[in-house]
Amino acid sequence: MQFSSSHKPDKQDCYYLLPDSESPASKEGQRRHEELWHKQASEVASQKHTDLPGVSLQRKKPRFNKNALTCAILASTNSILLGYDIGVMSGAILYIRDNLNITSIQVEVLVGSLNVCSLIGSLAAGKTSDCIGRRYTIVLAAATFLLGALLMGLAPSFLFLMAGRVVSGIGVGYSLMIAPVYTTEISPAMTRGFLSSLPEVFINFGILLGYISNYTLSGLPEHINWRLMLGLAALPAIAVAFGVIAMPESPRWLVMKGRFADAKQALIKTSDSVEEAEFRLNEMTRTIADLGHAASSNNWQGQGVWKELLLRPSRPLRRILIAAIGVNFFMQASGNDAVVYYSPEVFKDAGINSKKQLVGVTVIMGIAKTSFVLISALYLDHFGRRPLLMLGSAGMAVSLAVLGLGSKYLDQSEIKPGWAIALCVIAVCAAVSFFSIGLGPITWVYSSEIFPTKFRAQGSSLAISVNRLVSGIVAMSFLSISRAVTFGGMFFILAGIMAVGTAFFYFFLPETRGKSLEDIGLLFEDKAHENHTLDRPITLI
């Protein structure tokens, strides 16, 4: 597999799907393909073993390695911090607005600033993780968010609060990039979907904790409750920083640094046998050589990657960038974060006026989000990425359209009937639930697993930077646009965006379920290797 910078215009602009992808292939072709693949894999692994009794090269029922699961949970715990901030800010802003006497524009800036500033962290995280490793980047993310949480909790003024949001945003950017990358690199192929979706599970759990915190602390005096709501985020940050000490470093990062013995030890911890660890190590070292990384070296720090990504990407790499940036764009263009941030405003416009009731409804929404993201994560390796992604995005389009209709009806009605209010509440819960089925978990899984090892950290960093930029723009303009076109009009716009997103996912995102990270790159090649040319080509660009 070559991801060189040289372009070859004589190649056809198409790629070939591997077995188990969406493209239909003949049974005979698939049988011959698998025989050749098994032969090649056996030759690679035969350096020390002629038989690998501990490794099955065929698809089997996913089996969780306890160490890999523990590492994924610890890395993903960082994501609680972002989720908690999203959830807690939706309620805290009600009290901040009154206590600090800030305008609607300042509310938008305060809410959206975290997402915009997270762009800085996500851009820096790729290079940082290539230099100091994935594990210490997770510690850095937790430490940055800890400082930001303390600044927000102790803020005596709007400017001081904004400073805390800026620092927290940088920590969030680091966390969003590094957690899925680390989890993807340490996970076995058959359980990678579930383990890599854990960051989104923890984000939703954090959102739910934020909602519960709002409801619990809302009875305190107005000048105290929002400070406690925001300051409590410091507690999980401390736990994350200490928990990471027990985690091994990413084996793929160790291979890129030429530390093969350390990589083998990390793989032994996250594999079911020594033989499987050696097989995975052989795949990694072979792929590094194929990528043109001729000599893995301790001096490697990701140099030259940005230039190749942005200035002279090969056709396969360009397709990967389109897929990764596209799924991250539509994740935030869906408006999910803005709906969560401003759900009390939406429900207030629908006719729910009590602050206690507004916060209570958001708790129901948080329970729905968390429940469905767990279901999606558990079945992601069974059904695959594409079916759940398209189901979730199509479901969001329908739910947002229904929400738009309900909001329009309530906006034009002098008496707000209970059934219309209930319809809006159900539509909001449905929209965030479909997001949790599809775009929520799958964006992190997909954008971190499709990049080749050499490009993974900085490629994911670029894609997630787009994610944070769009999130910030939507969060900082949601109320202003809604005032101009009404909430109903805004939801119709978001429904249209999700309809376009569903079509994009169908045409540009091949299935990656069950494939090793080393094999996924073949899905985006102009032509597959001679051992992988038995499926029909699908035109991409």
Short mmCIF file of all heavy atoms in Angstrom, two decimals, residues 59-88:
data_model
loop_
_atom_site.label_atom_id
_atom_site.label_comp_id
_atom_site.label_asym_id
_atom_site.label_seq_id
_atom_site.Cartn_x
_atom_site.Cartn_y
_atom_site.Cartn_z
N ARG A 59 -13.29 -13.60 10.41
CA ARG A 59 -14.20 -12.85 11.26
C ARG A 59 -14.79 -13.77 12.31
O ARG A 59 -15.23 -14.88 12.04
CB ARG A 59 -15.34 -12.26 10.42
CG ARG A 59 -16.27 -11.40 11.27
CD ARG A 59 -17.37 -10.83 10.42
NE ARG A 59 -16.85 -9.99 9.37
CZ ARG A 59 -16.43 -8.76 9.56
NH1 ARG A 59 -16.44 -8.24 10.77
NH2 ARG A 59 -15.98 -8.05 8.55
N LYS A 60 -14.78 -13.32 13.52
CA LYS A 60 -15.38 -14.08 14.60
C LYS A 60 -16.12 -13.12 15.52
O LYS A 60 -16.04 -11.91 15.39
CB LYS A 60 -14.32 -14.85 15.37
CG LYS A 60 -13.23 -13.96 15.99
CD LYS A 60 -12.19 -14.79 16.69
CE LYS A 60 -11.11 -13.89 17.31
NZ LYS A 60 -10.07 -14.68 18.00
N LYS A 61 -16.84 -13.69 16.45
CA LYS A 61 -17.60 -12.86 17.39
C LYS A 61 -16.64 -12.00 18.19
O LYS A 61 -15.67 -12.49 18.74
CB LYS A 61 -18.41 -13.76 18.32
CG LYS A 61 -19.33 -12.98 19.24
CD LYS A 61 -20.15 -13.93 20.10
CE LYS A 61 -21.07 -13.13 21.02
NZ LYS A 61 -21.89 -14.02 21.87
N PRO A 62 -16.90 -10.67 18.26
CA PRO A 62 -16.00 -9.79 19.00
C PRO A 62 -15.79 -10.23 20.43
O PRO A 62 -16.73 -10.61 21.12
CB PRO A 62 -16.72 -8.43 18.93
CG PRO A 62 -17.58 -8.50 17.73
CD PRO A 62 -18.00 -9.93 17.63
N ARG A 63 -14.55 -10.19 20.86
CA ARG A 63 -14.19 -10.57 22.21
C ARG A 63 -13.33 -9.46 22.81
O ARG A 63 -12.33 -9.06 22.23
CB ARG A 63 -13.42 -11.89 22.18
CG ARG A 63 -12.89 -12.34 23.53
CD ARG A 63 -12.07 -13.60 23.32
NE ARG A 63 -11.40 -14.00 24.54
CZ ARG A 63 -10.50 -14.98 24.61
NH1 ARG A 63 -10.19 -15.65 23.52
NH2 ARG A 63 -9.94 -15.29 25.75
N PHE A 64 -13.75 -8.96 23.96
CA PHE A 64 -13.07 -7.81 24.54
C PHE A 64 -11.85 -8.24 25.34
O PHE A 64 -11.93 -9.11 26.20
CB PHE A 64 -14.03 -7.02 25.44
CG PHE A 64 -15.12 -6.32 24.69
CD1 PHE A 64 -16.43 -6.74 24.78
CD2 PHE A 64 -14.83 -5.23 23.89
CE1 PHE A 64 -17.43 -6.09 24.09
CE2 PHE A 64 -15.82 -4.57 23.20
CZ PHE A 64 -17.13 -5.01 23.30
N ASN A 65 -10.72 -7.61 25.01
CA ASN A 65 -9.53 -7.77 25.82
C ASN A 65 -9.64 -6.81 27.00
O ASN A 65 -9.88 -5.62 26.82
CB ASN A 65 -8.29 -7.46 24.98
CG ASN A 65 -7.01 -7.54 25.78
OD1 ASN A 65 -6.67 -6.58 26.48
ND2 ASN A 65 -6.31 -8.64 25.68
N LYS A 66 -9.48 -7.33 28.22
CA LYS A 66 -9.71 -6.52 29.42
C LYS A 66 -8.77 -5.32 29.49
O LYS A 66 -9.19 -4.22 29.86
CB LYS A 66 -9.57 -7.38 30.67
CG LYS A 66 -10.66 -8.44 30.81
CD LYS A 66 -10.47 -9.26 32.08
CE LYS A 66 -11.57 -10.31 32.22
NZ LYS A 66 -11.41 -11.13 33.43
N ASN A 67 -7.51 -5.52 29.13
CA ASN A 67 -6.56 -4.41 29.19
C ASN A 67 -6.88 -3.33 28.16
O ASN A 67 -6.79 -2.13 28.45
CB ASN A 67 -5.13 -4.92 28.99
CG ASN A 67 -4.62 -5.70 30.18
OD1 ASN A 67 -4.95 -5.38 31.32
ND2 ASN A 67 -3.82 -6.72 29.94
N ALA A 68 -7.26 -3.76 26.94
CA ALA A 68 -7.63 -2.79 25.91
C ALA A 68 -8.87 -2.01 26.33
O ALA A 68 -8.95 -0.79 26.11
CB ALA A 68 -7.87 -3.50 24.57
N LEU A 69 -9.83 -2.71 26.93
CA LEU A 69 -11.05 -2.05 27.40
C LEU A 69 -10.73 -1.04 28.50
O LEU A 69 -11.24 0.09 28.49
CB LEU A 69 -12.04 -3.09 27.91
CG LEU A 69 -13.37 -2.56 28.47
CD1 LEU A 69 -14.13 -1.79 27.40
CD2 LEU A 69 -14.22 -3.71 29.01
N THR A 70 -9.86 -1.42 29.42
CA THR A 70 -9.48 -0.51 30.51
C THR A 70 -8.79 0.73 29.96
O THR A 70 -9.08 1.86 30.39
CB THR A 70 -8.55 -1.23 31.51
OG1 THR A 70 -9.22 -2.37 32.03
CG2 THR A 70 -8.16 -0.31 32.65
N CYS A 71 -7.86 0.53 29.03
CA CYS A 71 -7.15 1.67 28.43
C CYS A 71 -8.11 2.60 27.71
O CYS A 71 -8.00 3.83 27.80
CB CYS A 71 -6.08 1.17 27.47
SG CYS A 71 -4.70 0.32 28.25
N ALA A 72 -9.05 2.01 26.96
CA ALA A 72 -10.02 2.82 26.21
C ALA A 72 -10.90 3.62 27.17
O ALA A 72 -11.20 4.80 26.91
CB ALA A 72 -10.88 1.92 25.33
N ILE A 73 -11.30 3.01 28.27
CA ILE A 73 -12.14 3.71 29.25
C ILE A 73 -11.37 4.86 29.88
O ILE A 73 -11.89 5.98 30.01
CB ILE A 73 -12.64 2.73 30.33
CG1 ILE A 73 -13.67 1.76 29.73
CG2 ILE A 73 -13.25 3.49 31.51
CD1 ILE A 73 -14.11 0.67 30.66
N LEU A 74 -10.12 4.61 30.27
CA LEU A 74 -9.32 5.67 30.90
C LEU A 74 -9.08 6.83 29.94
O LEU A 74 -9.20 8.00 30.32
CB LEU A 74 -7.98 5.09 31.37
CG LEU A 74 -8.03 4.20 32.62
CD1 LEU A 74 -6.66 3.56 32.86
CD2 LEU A 74 -8.44 5.02 33.84
N ALA A 75 -8.75 6.50 28.68
CA ALA A 75 -8.51 7.57 27.69
C ALA A 75 -9.79 8.36 27.41
O ALA A 75 -9.75 9.58 27.26
CB ALA A 75 -7.96 6.98 26.40
N SER A 76 -10.90 7.66 27.37
CA SER A 76 -12.17 8.30 27.02
C SER A 76 -12.77 9.09 28.17
O SER A 76 -13.65 9.93 27.96
CB SER A 76 -13.18 7.24 26.55
OG SER A 76 -12.67 6.50 25.46
N THR A 77 -12.30 8.82 29.39
CA THR A 77 -12.82 9.55 30.55
C THR A 77 -12.60 11.06 30.40
O THR A 77 -13.39 11.87 30.91
CB THR A 77 -12.15 9.05 31.84
OG1 THR A 77 -12.37 7.64 31.96
CG2 THR A 77 -12.72 9.73 33.07
N ASN A 78 -11.55 11.43 29.67
CA ASN A 78 -11.31 12.85 29.40
C ASN A 78 -12.50 13.52 28.74
O ASN A 78 -12.76 14.71 28.92
CB ASN A 78 -10.08 12.99 28.49
CG ASN A 78 -9.03 13.91 29.08
OD1 ASN A 78 -9.22 14.48 30.15
ND2 ASN A 78 -7.94 14.09 28.39
N SER A 79 -13.24 12.72 27.95
CA SER A 79 -14.38 13.27 27.20
C SER A 79 -15.53 13.66 28.11
O SER A 79 -16.42 14.42 27.69
CB SER A 79 -14.85 12.26 26.16
OG SER A 79 -13.80 11.95 25.25
N ILE A 80 -15.56 13.12 29.34
CA ILE A 80 -16.59 13.54 30.29
C ILE A 80 -16.54 15.05 30.49
O ILE A 80 -17.56 15.72 30.67
CB ILE A 80 -16.40 12.82 31.65
CG1 ILE A 80 -16.84 11.35 31.53
CG2 ILE A 80 -17.20 13.50 32.75
CD1 ILE A 80 -16.70 10.59 32.82
N LEU A 81 -15.31 15.60 30.42
CA LEU A 81 -15.13 17.02 30.69
C LEU A 81 -15.86 17.88 29.67
O LEU A 81 -16.51 18.87 30.01
CB LEU A 81 -13.64 17.35 30.71
CG LEU A 81 -12.79 16.53 31.69
CD1 LEU A 81 -11.31 16.88 31.54
CD2 LEU A 81 -13.25 16.74 33.11
N LEU A 82 -15.75 17.50 28.38
CA LEU A 82 -16.47 18.25 27.35
C LEU A 82 -17.97 18.07 27.53
O LEU A 82 -18.73 19.05 27.48
CB LEU A 82 -16.06 17.78 25.96
CG LEU A 82 -16.91 18.35 24.81
CD1 LEU A 82 -16.81 19.86 24.76
CD2 LEU A 82 -16.51 17.75 23.48
N GLY A 83 -18.41 16.82 27.73
CA GLY A 83 -19.84 16.57 27.89
C GLY A 83 -20.41 17.32 29.08
O GLY A 83 -21.50 17.91 28.99
N TYR A 84 -19.67 17.31 30.17
CA TYR A 84 -20.15 18.01 31.37
C TYR A 84 -20.29 19.51 31.09
O TYR A 84 -21.28 20.13 31.49
CB TYR A 84 -19.19 17.79 32.53
CG TYR A 84 -19.63 18.46 33.82
CD1 TYR A 84 -20.57 17.87 34.64
CD2 TYR A 84 -19.12 19.71 34.18
CE1 TYR A 84 -21.01 18.49 35.81
CE2 TYR A 84 -19.54 20.35 35.33
CZ TYR A 84 -20.48 19.73 36.14
OH TYR A 84 -20.90 20.35 37.29
N ASP A 85 -19.32 20.08 30.38
CA ASP A 85 -19.39 21.51 30.07
C ASP A 85 -20.60 21.82 29.19
O ASP A 85 -21.30 22.81 29.42
CB ASP A 85 -18.11 21.96 29.37
CG ASP A 85 -18.12 23.44 29.05
OD1 ASP A 85 -17.70 24.22 29.91
OD2 ASP A 85 -18.57 23.80 27.95
N ILE A 86 -20.85 20.97 28.18
CA ILE A 86 -21.99 21.20 27.29
C ILE A 86 -23.29 21.15 28.09
O ILE A 86 -24.16 22.01 27.98
CB ILE A 86 -22.02 20.14 26.16
CG1 ILE A 86 -20.84 20.34 25.22
CG2 ILE A 86 -23.34 20.24 25.39
CD1 ILE A 86 -20.70 19.24 24.18
N GLY A 87 -23.42 20.11 28.93
CA GLY A 87 -24.65 19.94 29.70
C GLY A 87 -24.83 21.01 30.76
O GLY A 87 -25.92 21.59 30.90
N VAL A 88 -23.77 21.29 31.50
CA VAL A 88 -23.90 22.22 32.62
C VAL A 88 -24.09 23.66 32.13
O VAL A 88 -24.81 24.45 32.76
CB VAL A 88 -22.68 22.11 33.56
CG1 VAL A 88 -21.50 22.92 33.05
CG2 VAL A 88 -23.03 22.55 34.98
#
